[in-house]
Amino acid sequence: MEIRKIRLGSLLLPSNVFMAPLAGYTCYPFRMLAYEMGAGLCYTEMVSANALKYKDRATKRLLFTTKEEKIRAVQLLGGIPAVMEQMAASELLEDFDIIDINMGCPVPNVFKSGEGSALMLDQKRASAIIRGCKKRGKVVTIKCRTGIREDQMFTAEFARMCEASGADLITIHGRSRSMMYDGKPYYQEIEQAKAAVSIPVIANGGIFSVEDAEQMMERTGADGVMPARYGLENPFIFSELTGKPCIKTALQIMTEQLQLTSTYYDETFTLAYMRKLAAYMMKKRRGTKRYKERLYKSGSLEEFQEVIELIFAPET
Ligand SMILES: Cc1cc2nc3c(=O)[nH]c(=O)nc-3n(C[C@H](O)[C@H](O)[C@H](O)COP(=O)(O)O)c2cc1C
């Protein structure tokens, strides 16, 4: 696929291969890894605007970043325009260059609260949210789906509304809400949205190999791609797609992730995150199932390091 930089206002993103926001995974250490591997942009997981408003401590932790993260993008989840505008402008987000608005989350509780993918059903409110978040002049991006049901898709119309409301980029997960996380993405919906707007369109959904990424670009004409679960399974995908050299082994990556995470987060968080990441990264490694139990039982950083040395020992 053609690799190119993407300009968003004064920001120049190093590539058009983005890492998707993933709740429970795209914390600061993982984002740093994705950037190191060549990702052009990597978002925090979704952060609830309502929870932020009440200064919830666990929520504030999701915003952790340092100056080492050169391009900082936060994803906000919320359905009330005034709250979204207030949070987008709040000092809690002052470190972030980019605000992404979650208009794709399919989870029933989120949907019932009028947030996430529910915003695709209420374009007036979605537009008011974009306009409000844009007021501070920051780059605002949108992540949405193709629609609510497979027989009710309106991606191009929604993309047009996003652009007219001031969005700088739109990422389309090529599945409807009803499809949740399964099934082939609807390439044609993304293609039509791309043709309908002049802001960059990033395609997401079902990218589980270099070939999938290439197919996604070819069939949609999108400006870039955004792997999600496969970015956890194989973080090397960013290097494979962009050509950014990487000589690190999976073991080195895991060891560095463990060090970086334990530097900034407590042991409980570090072990929980590292176990989940290891479970993804070991999926396709042969003979590693027998270590799973030890992985989940490891109760200290030292024990965890020992297990990952077994799991991620270079394959012969
Ligand atoms: C565990 C998990 C957590 C996710 N968290 C978020 C999130 O916080 N924000 C968001 O916009 N999408 C989230 N998503 C959706 C992904 O970003 C992506 O759109 C979806 O997984 C489709 O891509 P894939 O088929 O390549 O995995 C999540 C998906 C999964 C599986």
Side-chain angles (χ1 to χ4, degrees), residues 19-26 43-47 75-77 100-106 143-145 171-175 180-183 185 204-208 216 226-232 280:
M19 173 65 204
L22 286 170
Y25 293 94
T26 48
Y43 294 96
T44 67
E45 66 180 82
M46 57 183 172
V47 175
Q75 188 188 62
L76 270 187
L77 173 81
D100 186 71
I101 306 171
N102 183 318
M103 299 198 181
C105 182
K143 184 162 176 282
C144 67
R145 288 185 174 245
T171 299
I172 299 164
H173 176 183
R175 300 183 177 104
M180 302 297 279
Y181 300 103
D182 297 317
N204 163 252
I207 297 173
F208 291 101
M216 180 63 106
M226 177 191 269
R229 287 166 288 183
Y230 192 63
L232 302 174
Y280 260 106

Side-chain angles (χ1 to χ4, degrees), residues 20 23 103 119 146 240 257 271 276 293-294:
M103 299 198 181
L119 288 169
T146 51
E240 290 163 8
Q257 282 288 291
L271 288 174
K276 289 188 293 179
E293 203 180 324
R294 259 186 85 181

Side-chain angles (χ1 to χ4, degrees), residues 89-157:
S90 98
E91 57 176 26
L92 291 168
L93 299 195
E94 71 186 352
D95 288 339
F96 291 90
D97 312 295
I98 299 177
I99 295 176
D100 186 71
I101 306 171
N102 183 318
M103 299 198 181
C105 182
V107 172
N109 279 347
V110 168
F111 187 78
K112 274 187 227 140
S113 319
E115 303 177 342
S117 58
L119 288 169
M120 292 198 77
L121 281 179
D122 190 345
Q123 294 200 24
K124 235 174 120 183
R125 204 152 46 86
S127 172
I129 289 175
I130 299 170
R131 287 174 204 277
C133 289
K134 201 57 213 169
K135 276 191 188 157
R136 269 293 174 94
K138 280 193 183 179
V139 170
V140 170
T141 63
I142 307 299
K143 184 162 176 282
C144 67
R145 288 185 174 245
T146 51
I148 302 302
R149 297 195 314 261
E150 283 174 81
D151 60 356
Q152 190 192 4
M153 298 203 281
F154 42 84
T155 325
E157 181 197 324

Side-chain angles (χ1 to χ4, degrees), residues 95-302:
D95 288 339
F96 291 90
D97 312 295
I98 299 177
I99 295 176
D100 186 71
I101 306 171
N102 183 318
M103 299 198 181
C105 182
V107 172
N109 279 347
V110 168
F111 187 78
K112 274 187 227 140
S113 319
E115 303 177 342
S117 58
L119 288 169
M120 292 198 77
L121 281 179
D122 190 345
Q123 294 200 24
K124 235 174 120 183
R125 204 152 46 86
S127 172
I129 289 175
I130 299 170
R131 287 174 204 277
C133 289
K134 201 57 213 169
K135 276 191 188 157
R136 269 293 174 94
K138 280 193 183 179
V139 170
V140 170
T141 63
I142 307 299
K143 184 162 176 282
C144 67
R145 288 185 174 245
T146 51
I148 302 302
R149 297 195 314 261
E150 283 174 81
D151 60 356
Q152 190 192 4
M153 298 203 281
F154 42 84
T155 325
E157 181 197 324
F158 195 77
R160 250 185 247 115
M161 178 283 294
C162 291
E163 180 176 45
S165 308
D168 297 286
L169 174 146
I170 175 164
T171 299
I172 299 164
H173 176 183
R175 300 183 177 104
S176 65
R177 174 185 180 242
S178 62
M179 294 168 77
M180 302 297 279
Y181 300 103
D182 297 317
K184 265 201 141 334
Y186 280 87
Y187 299 113
Q188 210 188 343
E189 285 291 316
I190 303 178
E191 185 189 15
Q192 286 169 1
K194 165 66 194 159
V197 295
S198 50
I199 53 174
V201 171
I202 305 296
N204 163 252
I207 297 173
F208 291 101
S209 65
V210 167
E211 294 71 35
D212 287 345
E214 276 162 0
Q215 170 161 234
M216 180 63 106
M217 285 292 277
E218 241 164 64
R219 296 193 51 183
T220 62
D223 298 282
V225 288
M226 177 191 269
R229 287 166 288 183
Y230 192 63
L232 302 174
E233 205 175 308
N234 174 26
F236 296 99
I237 182 72
F238 301 103
S239 163
E240 290 163 8
L241 284 170
T242 62
K244 187 171 180 189
C246 169
I247 50 163
K248 287 186 181 164
T249 62
L251 179 57
Q252 275 170 308
I253 285 177
M254 287 306 282
T255 304
E256 286 179 11
Q257 282 288 291
L258 184 63
Q259 283 165 356
L260 189 59
T261 313
S262 58
T263 303
Y264 293 112
Y265 300 79
D266 62 32
E267 192 173 85
T268 310
F269 178 92
T270 302
L271 288 174
Y273 159 65
M274 290 300 301
R275 281 188 198 115
K276 289 188 293 179
L277 180 61
Y280 260 106
M281 280 184 67
M282 67 197 268
K283 264 188 177 174
K284 295 229 169 75
R285 290 182 83 87
R286 275 170 287 142
T288 57
K289 275 207 180 106
R290 63 197 145 129
Y291 301 123
K292 240 185 168 164
E293 203 180 324
R294 259 186 85 181
L295 183 78
Y296 280 96
K297 283 197 175 147
S298 53
S300 68
L301 302 179
E302 293 71 27

